[in-house]
Amino acid sequence: MALSNVLETPAAGFNFENAARNAALEGLFDGGQTPKPLKTGTTIAGVVFKDGVVLGADTRATSSEVVADKMCAKIHYISPNIYCCGAGTAADTEKTTDLLSSNLTIYSLNSGRNPRVVMAVNILQDMLYRYHGQIGASLILGGVDCTGNHLYTVGPYGSVNKVPYLAMGSGDLAALAILEDGFKHDLELEKAKELVRAAIHAGIMSDLGSGNNIDICVITKQGVDYIRPYQESEYKDDRKMKYKYRPGTTAVLTEKVVPLKLEVVQETVQKMDTA
Amino acid sequence: MEKHHTDSKVKGVSTGTTILAAIFDGGVVIGSDSRASIGGEYVSSKTINKVIQVHDRIFCCMAGSLADAQAVTKTAKFHLSFHSVQMESPPLVISAASILKELCYKNKDELQAGFITAGWDRKKGPQVYVVSLGGMLISQPVTIGGSGSTYIYGYVDAKYKPNMTREECQQFATNALALAMGRDNVSGGVVHLVVITEKGVEHVVVPGDKLPRFHDE
């Protein structure tokens, strides 16, 4: 039929079990607040241009006020012609995009067809709607297929919107300002890349949760150009990174060797039937 | 002035909205604004499409939580299509409205979505149905919905006449939506109109600068 879902067969109708469970859980915690998941303050953006789609993202992953990862990859591979930027809870965006990618690969192998961007969007929408907003993933899906160049946004509650340009994440307002000013239909490749770079840069400058480098992913009919990093942060620190110590740095005071005696307790041989 | 809370209890993206549908002589006009907001404060989309085609001559407008409304219309589209294949004939407008009603009523505790269904079928011609938030289904010649509808009840009651011409009805719908968008902060953008007749379906988009202006604008 339509789709082979290896891990989860979509059940008929709506499934609100998890929403009911979460509501019940909230009552059990002190003060009535469930622990808040960690989010990647992020700026992600996407633009449809003449020959395809350009996606961009910053590379900072934060854990409260500490930068946990300075070179985190927020543009995820979905299929050879579809990539997805993720904002929101880091674990949720990773797993959701991984699941989507696996399912689409299986579908491709079964049907012999390249997946379409609408298909990826529909699967994501079904998955996120099923969990009623509990999966904190705001995604920008961009890709090129036989029907053209497409850019979609999928919200954490499962709402979908098809747009020519878009920004999401905590730095989205700053990035959107740049996009609103500079976007035109059918931009050339270099202009489109520059527009997305400027949008992410605005997000990095104006939002504390976004920063470090800028990744750009250009998807066209001919192929994908994943430029990581497209622009490096001007605030890079120059660490030596020599953390190897030669043997003998730490003095050995005493040494004791205890051989472990193993004895065979039971041996069973089962012949394989290779006839 | 007291703060006007519209759909701020809706989680995620909400279509605080204005939607309407009206029957004219030979067809039906269904239309909406194009704004989607979050928390009544941030416009998340200026160009969202709230008029969804569920079958060849049947459209529906959504109001409420965008995620819920999109999920319900997707399910309804599938059921309607399957029903139509089984019956080997185009579905009736009441069937589409009933499917939406079943979904809204059976899941009323979890869903926050209301619909206006309008279309043309061979049996009863042009029809408009309203499916409210809790799952009530009624048929009306003209109907409005969404948060912006409160501002135009007077206009609709005064200006709607049965058996208008197509042009009169289109102008009536555009005026009504423009008036609502002018007063409701969570309605705005462009006006999407769909005119459905026996012959076919026509989309009309009226951009913001071409909207009719009224005395104090």
Side-chain angles (χ1 to χ4, degrees), chain A residues 46-48 149-153 161-166, chain B residues 44-45 47:
Chain A
V47 158
V48 175
N149 317 323
H150 306 286
L151 186 68
Y152 286 89
T153 165
N161 198 6
K162 184 176 198 303
V163 278
Y165 62 91
L166 182 61
Chain B
S44 63
S45 176
T47 54

Side-chain angles (χ1 to χ4, degrees), chain A residues 122 125 129 157 160-161 180, chain B residues 45-46 67-68 70 74 111:
Chain A
N122 279 324
Q125 177 174 43
Y129 185 74
Y157 286 88
V160 166
N161 198 6
E180 293 276 16
Chain B
S45 176
K46 298 176 278 191
D68 287 347
Q70 284 181 338
K74 274 176 82 174
L111 290 176

Side-chain angles (χ1 to χ4, degrees), chain B residues 23-118:
Chain B
I23 299 178
F24 63 89
D25 184 22
V28 62
V29 169
I30 182 169
S32 78
D33 70 309
S34 68
R35 181 172 289 183
S37 54
I38 299 185
E41 290 160 351
Y42 172 64
V43 176
S44 63
S45 176
K46 298 176 278 191
T47 54
I48 199 113
N49 181 26
K50 301 182 206 181
V51 186
I52 308 285
Q53 180 162 28
V54 291
H55 210 267
D56 293 348
R57 295 278 187 283
I58 310 176
F59 281 72
C60 73
C61 263
M62 43 174 153
S65 154
L66 185 61
D68 287 347
Q70 284 181 338
V72 170
T73 42
K74 274 176 82 174
T75 314
K77 217 168 159 177
F78 161 72
H79 283 300
L80 195 63
S81 173
F82 189 67
H83 166 72
S84 170
V85 167
Q86 277 191 321
M87 302 289 273
E88 292 190 6
S89 83
L92 301 177
V93 186
I94 181 104
S95 308
S98 292
I99 292 170
L100 288 170
K101 179 262 298 175
E102 278 298 300
L103 290 168
C104 288
Y105 182 74
K106 290 271 160 69
N107 295 293
K108 64 161 76 178
D109 292 336
E110 287 93 5
L111 290 176
Q112 252 185 319
F115 301 90
I116 293 181
T117 311

Side-chain angles (χ1 to χ4, degrees), chain B:
Chain B
M1 258 213 115
E2 59 166 345
K3 203 155 172 236
H4 180 46
H5 282 285
T6 47
D7 289 28
S8 45
K9 279 190 253 144
V10 173
K11 287 197 281 189
V13 181
S14 130
T15 60
T17 191
T18 312
I19 50 180
L20 70 66
I23 299 178
F24 63 89
D25 184 22
V28 62
V29 169
I30 182 169
S32 78
D33 70 309
S34 68
R35 181 172 289 183
S37 54
I38 299 185
E41 290 160 351
Y42 172 64
V43 176
S44 63
S45 176
K46 298 176 278 191
T47 54
I48 199 113
N49 181 26
K50 301 182 206 181
V51 186
I52 308 285
Q53 180 162 28
V54 291
H55 210 267
D56 293 348
R57 295 278 187 283
I58 310 176
F59 281 72
C60 73
C61 263
M62 43 174 153
S65 154
L66 185 61
D68 287 347
Q70 284 181 338
V72 170
T73 42
K74 274 176 82 174
T75 314
K77 217 168 159 177
F78 161 72
H79 283 300
L80 195 63
S81 173
F82 189 67
H83 166 72
S84 170
V85 167
Q86 277 191 321
M87 302 289 273
E88 292 190 6
S89 83
L92 301 177
V93 186
I94 181 104
S95 308
S98 292
I99 292 170
L100 288 170
K101 179 262 298 175
E102 278 298 300
L103 290 168
C104 288
Y105 182 74
K106 290 271 160 69
N107 295 293
K108 64 161 76 178
D109 292 336
E110 287 93 5
L111 290 176
Q112 252 185 319
F115 301 90
I116 293 181
T117 311
W120 182 94
D121 64 43
R122 191 189 276 279
K123 186 170 169 189
K124 285 168 100 183
Q127 297 144 76
V128 169
Y129 294 92
V130 175
V131 177
S132 71
L133 225 60
M136 171 187 76
L137 170 63
I138 55 173
S139 168
Q140 291 186 311
V142 63
T143 187
I144 48 180
S147 57
S149 64
T150 50
Y151 304 101
I152 51 172
Y153 272 107
Y155 180 81
V156 169
D157 287 343
K159 287 293 183 181
Y160 178 75
K161 299 184 308 287
N163 293 322
M164 285 192 276
T165 65
R166 178 193 171 127
E167 288 70 29
E168 279 174 348
C169 197
Q170 247 178 273
Q171 191 58 49
F172 160 76
T174 313
N175 285 348
L177 286 169
L179 282 166
M181 281 153 58
R183 285 292 180 182
D184 183 25
N185 68 325
V186 283
S187 300
V190 305
V191 164
H192 284 293
L193 287 179
V194 174
V195 183
I196 310 165
T197 57
E198 179 181 359
K199 291 204 190 58
V201 162
E202 191 201 335
H203 290 266
V204 179
V205 174
V206 186
D209 54 352
K210 302 273 192 319
L211 283 176
R213 288 192 173 184
F214 299 93
H215 76 99
D216 59 348
E217 294 179 65

Side-chain angles (χ1 to χ4, degrees), chain A residues 44-154:
Chain A
I44 49 177
V47 158
V48 175
F49 73 103
K50 197 171 73 157
D51 305 316
V53 176
V54 178
L55 298 173
D58 72 306
T59 60
R60 174 177 289 182
T62 51
S63 173
S64 300
E65 350 45 79
V66 178
V67 175
D69 190 349
K70 291 181 281 193
M71 196 53 176
C72 124
K74 300 185 191 181
I75 306 183
H76 309 280
Y77 166 87
I78 302 289
S79 80
N81 56 329
I82 306 174
Y83 276 71
C84 177
C85 301
T89 310
D92 288 343
T93 56
E94 281 286 339
K95 270 305 166 193
T96 310
T97 46
D98 260 353
L99 260 172
L100 175 64
S101 177
S102 315
N103 283 336
L104 282 182
T105 312
I106 292 173
Y107 164 79
S108 281
L109 291 167
N110 279 344
S111 65
R113 295 168 101 165
N114 268 334
R116 296 191 186 181
V117 187
V118 270
M119 183 178 184
V121 171
N122 279 324
I123 297 172
L124 271 180
Q125 177 174 43
D126 287 343
M127 196 191 303
L128 290 175
Y129 185 74
R130 176 170 300 280
Y131 287 96
H132 230 43
Q134 303 298 323
I135 295 186
S138 304
L139 305 163
I140 294 184
L141 228 101
V144 175
D145 58 31
C146 56
T147 55
N149 317 323
H150 306 286
L151 186 68
Y152 286 89
T153 165
V154 185

